[in-house]
Amino acid sequence: MATAHTARPAPVGTIRYWAAAKAAVGTAEEPYAAGTLAEALTAARERHAGRPEFARVLARCSFLVDGDPVGTREHSTVRLAEGGTVEVLPPFAGG
């Protein structure tokens, strides 16, 4: 007898927005339910489609996932963990 395969729910965690990203999205943080960084960012863009500046700022941001820089890694390969944190960091001026 075959058993039904039950898909595991996507990990749930927190996206934190900083500086210009926070201003563009209108909140300091919000939850994610996604398996990868790409999925989390796509969902955030869709949630905030009425804020076109958010998509523009997000395109210039760098990201930390649980404290580790994402760098140039493909966002679809960056796995998110249950209870994890994604930090959205826009470019900072100064030096």
Side-chain angles (χ1 to χ4, degrees), residues 69-91:
V70 171
T72 59
R73 287 184 286 163
E74 216 24 73
H75 293 171
S76 62
T77 67
V78 178
R79 304 292 308 164
L80 300 180
E82 183 69 30
T85 302
V86 174
E87 308 279 350
V88 180
L89 307 169

Side-chain angles (χ1 to χ4, degrees), residues 2 4-5 10-11 16 20 26 30 32-33 36 39 41 43 48 55 64 66 68 71 79-82 88:
H5 174 71
R16 290 190 185 137
E30 63 185 351
Y32 69 73
T36 67
E39 293 168 3
L41 295 177
H48 303 291
L64 298 177
D66 298 331
D68 294 324
R79 304 292 308 164
L80 300 180
E82 183 69 30
V88 180

Side-chain angles (χ1 to χ4, degrees), residues 4-75:
H5 174 71
T6 305
R8 281 191 269 165
V12 175
T14 303
I15 301 176
R16 290 190 185 137
Y17 300 104
W18 296 95
K22 179 180 173 182
V25 77
T27 189
E29 63 181 49
E30 63 185 351
Y32 69 73
T36 67
L37 178 57
E39 293 168 3
L41 295 177
T42 295
R45 280 186 201 93
E46 290 171 358
R47 263 193 312 279
H48 303 291
R51 293 176 167 268
E53 182 60 19
F54 174 62
R56 286 190 287 275
V57 169
L58 201 59
R60 297 187 312 268
C61 287
S62 58
F63 305 93
L64 298 177
V65 174
D66 298 331
D68 294 324
V70 171
T72 59
R73 287 184 286 163
E74 216 24 73
H75 293 171

